[in-house]
Amino acid sequence: MTLRAALLLAGLLWPMLVWPGVAAAVEPPALASCPPGLPATTQCWRGRDANGAFLLLARPENWHGGLVTHVYGGPRMSAPAADSTDEDLLRYSEFLAEGWAWASTSRRRAGFGIRSGGEDALAARRIAGEVLGSVRFSLLHGQSWGGAVAAKAIETLNEAGQDGTRPWQAALLTSAVLAGPTRAYDMRVDLRAAWQAICGTHPRPEEPQYLVTLGLARGQRMTREELMSRYLACTGADLAPEARTPAQRRALADLSAASRVPEAAIPAHLVWATMVFADIGWRLMEGRSAFGNRDVRYAGTSDDAGLNARIPRIVPDADAAARLAADGDPTGAVAIPVLTLHGIGDMTVFVEHQSAYRETLERAGNGHLLLQVFTDEIEHSKLSGPIYAAAAAALRSWAETRRRPGAAELQGRCEASAITTLGPCRILPDYRPQPWEARVNPR
């Protein structure tokens, strides 16, 4: 081992970054404790990049030179912390078990920001390459909203460096938000608008009024518990169906019909459409709405005509919508293999996001760089364990041999991984999701 390598390993020397556009870290990664539960032979490093984002790097004893840069979902609304991605490393420990090193970032701040999230992931990737040693293959993994970050990053931040190598040679997008932020949250827009017509308590009449697509009134704070108390008062969702009042039963059914969000998933979508909408509306858009529902016709409720007459109609601000599109709408301009995994029963991120993404890549002439694989699962945060290692191995083979795999091949790889990683392989090789507009109210 060279002196430079030894100093890097000990965290006593900060390397010169090869790629342009990323400044030096404020706290160079140093050897540190790993999240409890990982094998004792795993090495971990912790530090902070130049923008203040916390870094977690990990290398297993059986490292084969592959690196996974992980982008978590959310966006999280709590302040970044040193342990922000510990849970993610444990959740996706299948990568480590199969010899992949790991790099993750807390991101520089809480809240929405697809491009800045991609920049933080790129910083983590480049720092990991210097700290860990020779990375032979680099994979970007985006989960949920992190998939939106990753999808944009491979379009805009994946240029080759001086040696001709791109930061990432392939991308794995799991349960990912891929319709683009200008339309990905239309069901949440419809949920907030329908809420005011049906429940009328978010905001209440005596509270400051605002466009519901702004999430909250300017400067207002609301806890999840307070929001849920309003939700339960209107719908009785915490009661057995027979214990609810007729008005509560009708409200719950109508909210689901108008938004097309399953009843069981309404609370999570309502929280997102409150907290994150407020972050987008007030911090990013200065009080202008990037979302709207002006021409939506709501159907399937107990009184469609009455609902459509009462529902608040919002016209998106053109500049705000354009800024949101620039921040995160995918264009399909990818140059590396992309594999997506999605459970068809996912109630948090509808599987129809995949239809929207495929159309985007095909319009750009890059449909041949996309493989979409679907599983018979309802989970969102984590699919069955063996499929992650299988997908990573398939992507590496695809990038290195230029031979695009199929769903059947991934099934075989998954079954082989299942020997050491518990979990079923429930791939549906012939499944194809319906179009985006068939699942979300058309605009």
Side-chain angles (χ1 to χ4, degrees), residues 151-399:
K152 196 65 177 179
I154 59 175
E155 293 181 353
T156 61
L157 298 172
N158 204 31
E159 296 296 324
Q162 296 174 355
D163 63 353
T165 303
R166 297 179 186 274
W168 299 292
Q169 285 80 57
L172 175 62
L173 311 178
T174 58
S175 308
V177 179
L178 295 173
T182 56
R183 58 175 174 168
Y185 314 122
D186 285 347
M187 77 291 294
R188 292 168 179 163
V189 171
D190 294 337
L191 178 60
R192 286 299 308 269
W195 180 280
Q196 284 310 94
I198 295 166
C199 302
T201 58
H202 187 27
R204 295 185 176 115
E206 69 275 13
E207 293 177 325
Q209 300 299 294
Y210 56 90
L211 296 179
V212 293
T213 46
L214 296 178
L216 290 165
R218 183 189 294 272
Q220 183 184 5
R221 297 290 183 266
M222 180 179 291
T223 66
R224 183 187 179 98
E225 290 71 25
E226 166 62 14
L227 179 58
M228 286 301 97
S229 71
R230 300 186 189 205
Y231 168 68
L232 296 175
C234 180
T235 65
D238 58 335
L239 305 173
E242 61 273 14
R244 299 170 192 159
T245 68
Q248 287 176 326
R249 290 195 294 270
R250 185 168 56 252
L252 185 57
D254 285 351
L255 285 171
S256 180
S259 65
R260 304 198 188 182
V261 173
E263 290 183 5
I266 287 177
H269 286 270
L270 187 61
V271 169
W272 207 102
T274 300
M275 312 307 181
V276 184
F277 274 9
D279 182 66
I280 295 171
W282 296 110
R283 184 179 59 81
L284 297 181
M285 303 302 172
E286 300 87 33
R288 296 172 298 167
S289 175
F291 311 111
N293 68 334
R294 177 182 57 189
D295 300 320
V296 177
R297 302 304 300 172
Y298 298 95
T301 70
S302 60
D303 179 10
D304 290 348
L307 177 68
N308 280 286
R310 298 191 311 274
I311 205 162
R313 298 291 176 175
I314 299 147
V315 179
D317 178 89
D319 180 66
R323 289 173 60 183
L324 190 65
D327 185 60
D329 276 1
T331 65
V334 301
I336 59 173
V338 181
L339 195 160
T340 68
L341 299 174
H342 215 121
I344 65 171
D346 189 339
M347 293 189 293
T348 302
V349 177
F350 299 160
V351 70
E352 286 76 16
H353 275 268
Q354 299 296 332
S355 297
Y357 192 56
R358 170 166 288 282
E359 290 176 2
T360 299
L361 264 65
E362 288 177 344
R363 282 197 304 269
N366 290 321
H368 63 289
L369 291 173
L370 176 65
L371 173 63
Q372 294 181 306
V373 176
F374 303 96
T375 70
D376 186 18
E377 297 178 73
I378 65 172
E379 300 302 325
H380 172 69
S381 296
K382 177 70 185 295
L383 299 173
S384 184
I387 200 167
Y388 292 92
L395 272 168
R396 185 170 189 172
S397 175
W398 183 3

Side-chain angles (χ1 to χ4, degrees), residues 80-136:
D83 62 353
S84 288
T85 60
D86 285 26
E87 181 183 353
D88 294 78
L89 178 54
L90 293 170
R91 180 179 294 140
Y92 301 104
S93 60
E94 292 86 0
F95 290 123
L96 289 179
E98 293 296 326
W100 292 86
W102 170 279
S104 55
T105 170
S106 69
R107 295 197 281 266
R108 67 190 71 174
R109 57 167 174 74
F112 202 90
I114 290 177
R115 281 183 176 268
S116 64
E119 293 166 359
D120 294 339
L122 181 60
R125 158 64 184 100
R126 292 173 174 174
I127 292 168
E130 293 283 358
V131 172
L132 297 176
S134 178
V135 174
R136 300 190 184 96

Side-chain angles (χ1 to χ4, degrees), residues 1-143:
M1 178 182 293
T2 67
L3 176 61
R4 176 179 172 80
L7 291 172
L8 284 170
L9 186 63
L12 299 176
L13 176 67
W14 180 242
M16 293 295 291
L17 294 173
V18 176
W19 291 288
V22 178
V26 294
E27 294 180 16
L31 283 168
S33 60
C34 291
L38 293 181
T41 54
T42 306
Q43 289 183 301
C44 292
W45 292 259
R46 298 180 187 271
R48 299 184 78 177
D49 71 14
N51 290 313
F54 293 93
L55 304 170
L56 173 61
L57 313 178
R59 184 172 65 191
E61 185 179 32
N62 61 334
W63 187 42
H64 50 50
L67 171 68
V68 172
T69 305
H70 171 74
V71 187
Y72 62 79
R76 296 174 185 170
M77 303 307 295
S78 56
D83 62 353
S84 288
T85 60
D86 285 26
E87 181 183 353
D88 294 78
L89 178 54
L90 293 170
R91 180 179 294 140
Y92 301 104
S93 60
E94 292 86 0
F95 290 123
L96 289 179
E98 293 296 326
W100 292 86
W102 170 279
S104 55
T105 170
S106 69
R107 295 197 281 266
R108 67 190 71 174
R109 57 167 174 74
F112 202 90
I114 290 177
R115 281 183 176 268
S116 64
E119 293 166 359
D120 294 339
L122 181 60
R125 158 64 184 100
R126 292 173 174 174
I127 292 168
E130 293 283 358
V131 172
L132 297 176
S134 178
V135 174
R136 300 190 184 96
F137 186 81
S138 178
L139 171 68
L140 180 60
H141 174 226
Q143 160 66 21

